[in-house]
Amino acid sequence: MEALLAELRAAVGPGAVLTDADVTSAYERDMMPLAPFGQPLAVVLPTSAEQVQAVVRACAAAGTPIVPRGAGSGLSGAANAVAGCVVLVTTKMNGIVEIDPDNRLAVVEPGVVNLDLRGAVEKHGLFYPPDPSSYDWCTIGGNLSTNAGGLCCVKYGVTTDSVLGLEVVLADGSLLKTGRRTVKGVAGYDLTKLFVGSEGTLGVITRATLALRPLPQAPSTLVATFDNTADAGAAVARVVREGVVPSLMEIMDRTSIEAVERYLKTDLNAGAALLICQSDAGGEAARRELAAIEQVCVDSGADLTYATDDLSEGRDLLTARRAVLTALEVYGAWLTDDVCVPRTRIAELIAGCELISAEVRLRIAVVGHAGDGNMHPTIVYDPGSEDEFARAREAFDRILGLGLSLGGTVTGEHGIGRIKRDWLATEIGPVGLRVHREIKKALDPGNLFNPGSMFSP
């Protein structure tokens, strides 16, 4: 191991190889409390693709696994260390290499913070759509590895929908270039999409070419309150059926509403469910979109609707949605789930979570991206109680099972990581799992990258 550490220091510089356990412990896990993790041999912080290649070659020769990591904002354990591994952190590779306004693209390194990229391209009248809730500190590399989503997915899709090409260091240290800079391109297998969402199990992403959009208009906002979640769910399904595509459509259940009311010291007067929608079409087009959604809400039984073009007021209304997780911390630690169901079955998911909450005797708040069916049931528990922790884990798994039973998937945007390996096997079946393993073996025959994440070898 001393020989490997010497090679790593030669590759990236002595100051970029961390071995003190008190320091490396900060890199052992992401934000998912249930996922297992181990103590790494070292943490390395390269600053270039060439340094990544040197690190990979050294680890491959020594038979030491590599766990790629960004900022650690993930919620699946996909960046968790395994015992004796090298954690390869890409946050110092944070250059915005190019912004090409004429072709609406940007070329970036993986350590660029999502919000910093959005701010940089906005100066050119452009927009990078993916917006995870941690967009002010998560990095593009982590977003790519987990195929992150966000509040705007209903209109703009997840991360992969904005990726044109990648540069990836493979297990033999070679640098693979995938994709293109053109709008269209169908040459060969779509290797770009293979690596997006692969959670660091196939290679280390060192550069990305990203598609940009024209900067949207300032959003207009609509809120609607409902006495029961079934009516709110019916409103969501009808909005989709009628072809209206807002830039944001979020839902909160009664438990999350009550938590936010207590935290913000306000009265939302929202009943059993609150629907928040935005349109960034601008001007009359936005007013028409929101008027159509408002009519759907009224026809579906909404108790109250309110629309505004005022930006400050719109931000205040959206604050309630963004404050949910912080508000729940008043009651204890939280464990957020991530299931996606058909939009016609959102109300059933919320009702099922209410039943699970009663049976495990823990608070469960449901918020989510109603426009695409991606829900985040969040379980609150006392981290100092082994009994409550066990019940929280039971609730977590039962919610995943509920999502699958409703025709959904066990993850809409957080990924599989180390916490949902068994659930991936259940969802994709034995043939799907075999194909995953064969792809992994073809690209990473020594099981070098992130071993044990997503599925066992």
Side-chain angles (χ1 to χ4, degrees):
M1 291 302 101
E2 286 303 321
L4 172 58
L5 291 174
E7 284 194 63
L8 295 177
R9 292 183 181 110
V12 300
V17 179
L18 312 177
T19 57
D20 186 328
D22 290 337
V23 177
T24 62
S25 62
Y27 298 90
E28 288 178 346
R29 56 179 289 267
D30 65 12
M31 300 295 288
M32 167 50 70
L34 295 183
F37 60 91
Q39 182 178 342
L41 168 71
V43 172
V44 298
L45 296 97
T47 58
S48 68
E50 292 75 18
Q51 289 188 357
V52 173
Q53 288 178 281
V55 169
V56 168
R57 290 183 180 122
C59 289
T64 299
I66 295 173
V67 175
R69 175 190 168 98
S73 63
L75 289 162
S76 68
N80 284 16
V82 296
C85 77
V86 167
V87 176
L88 193 157
V89 182
T90 59
T91 52
K92 290 189 178 297
M93 300 172 63
N94 57 2
I96 298 177
V97 179
E98 177 187 1
I99 298 174
D100 182 347
D102 294 333
N103 289 303
R104 293 184 189 165
L105 63 84
V107 180
V108 304
E109 292 181 327
V112 174
V113 172
N114 185 292
L115 182 60
D116 291 345
L117 175 61
R118 290 164 70 92
V121 302
E122 187 174 326
K123 296 173 184 176
H124 298 271
L126 297 170
F127 174 53
Y128 178 64
D131 67 332
S133 294
S134 56
Y135 72 112
D136 55 343
W137 66 288
C138 67
T139 60
I140 297 299
N143 296 170
L144 293 164
S145 292
T146 58
N147 199 9
L151 274 66
C152 294
C153 292
V154 58
K155 184 172 184 177
Y156 296 109
V158 293
T159 295
T160 191
D161 299 306
S162 294
V163 184
L164 295 173
L166 299 172
E167 290 185 10
V168 185
V169 175
L170 300 179
D172 62 358
S174 59
L175 187 67
L176 170 69
K177 297 182 180 181
T178 76
R180 65 206 189 276
R181 291 173 62 99
T182 55
V183 175
K184 296 174 68 178
V186 294
Y189 295 141
D190 193 343
L191 298 179
T192 301
K193 289 191 182 296
L194 174 63
F195 283 95
V196 176
S198 64
E199 300 183 13
T201 61
L202 301 179
V204 182
I205 296 171
T206 57
R207 185 168 290 193
T209 301
L210 305 172
L212 306 174
R213 293 174 179 259
L215 190 66
Q217 299 295 310
S220 300
T221 306
L222 167 76
V223 293
T225 67
F226 297 84
D227 264 347
N228 63 78
T229 54
D231 289 346
V236 171
R238 185 171 164 190
V239 167
V240 174
R241 185 168 62 248
E242 295 195 1
V244 184
V245 185
S247 56
L248 177 151
M249 185 158 59
E250 298 289 298
I251 193 169
M252 298 169 57
D253 74 344
R254 187 189 302 276
T255 302
S256 56
I257 292 166
E258 290 174 351
V260 167
E261 286 178 329
R262 176 179 175 182
Y263 175 71
L264 297 178
K265 296 180 173 59
T266 187
D267 184 4
L268 297 176
N269 193 29
L274 175 67
L275 201 61
I276 307 172
C277 304
Q278 286 189 333
S279 170
D280 62 7
E284 186 57 34
R287 284 188 282 274
R288 284 196 303 270
E289 280 189 355
L290 290 188
I293 295 172
E294 184 173 24
Q295 189 60 56
V296 166
C297 290
V298 171
D299 292 345
S300 299
D303 299 305
L304 178 147
T305 62
Y306 177 73
T308 180
D309 293 327
D310 183 86
L311 277 179
S312 178
E313 195 172 19
R315 280 194 295 267
D316 289 343
L317 292 169
L318 198 56
T319 295
R321 165 63 181 92
R322 294 193 183 275
V324 171
L325 291 183
T326 305
L328 290 171
E329 289 177 353
V330 173
Y331 302 105
W334 51 259
L335 174 62
T336 189
D337 219 321
D338 167 43
V339 294
C340 195
V341 297
R343 289 166 289 197
T344 52
R345 310 200 75 173
I346 289 174
E348 292 175 74
L349 179 77
I350 294 175
C353 288
E354 290 175 353
L355 179 61
I356 294 170
S357 174
E359 292 178 348
V360 301
R361 307 186 313 283
L362 291 174
R363 187 187 308 268
I364 299 178
V366 183
V367 296
H369 317 311
D372 55 30
N374 189 188
M375 296 290 103
H376 297 303
T378 300
I379 306 146
V380 183
Y381 65 99
D382 177 1
S385 167
E386 291 185 10
D387 176 61
E388 285 204 11
F389 184 80
R391 284 186 274 137
R393 178 57 200 257
E394 177 191 348
F396 185 88
D397 284 335
R398 287 183 61 180
I399 289 168
L400 295 177
L402 173 63
L404 284 182
S405 72
L406 294 174
T409 173
V410 296
T411 177
E413 59 187 8
H414 293 169
I416 296 296
R418 300 184 185 282
I419 194 62
K420 297 181 181 178
R421 291 194 336 175
D422 292 342
W423 287 102
L424 175 68
T426 299
E427 179 171 331
I428 66 176
V431 175
L433 192 59
R434 172 173 60 81
V435 171
H436 274 67
R437 287 182 171 136
E438 288 176 353
I439 292 171
K440 167 77 167 170
K441 187 175 181 180
L443 290 174
D444 183 15
N447 198 25
L448 178 71
F449 292 124
N450 214 357
S453 190
M454 294 184 73
F455 51 88
S456 65

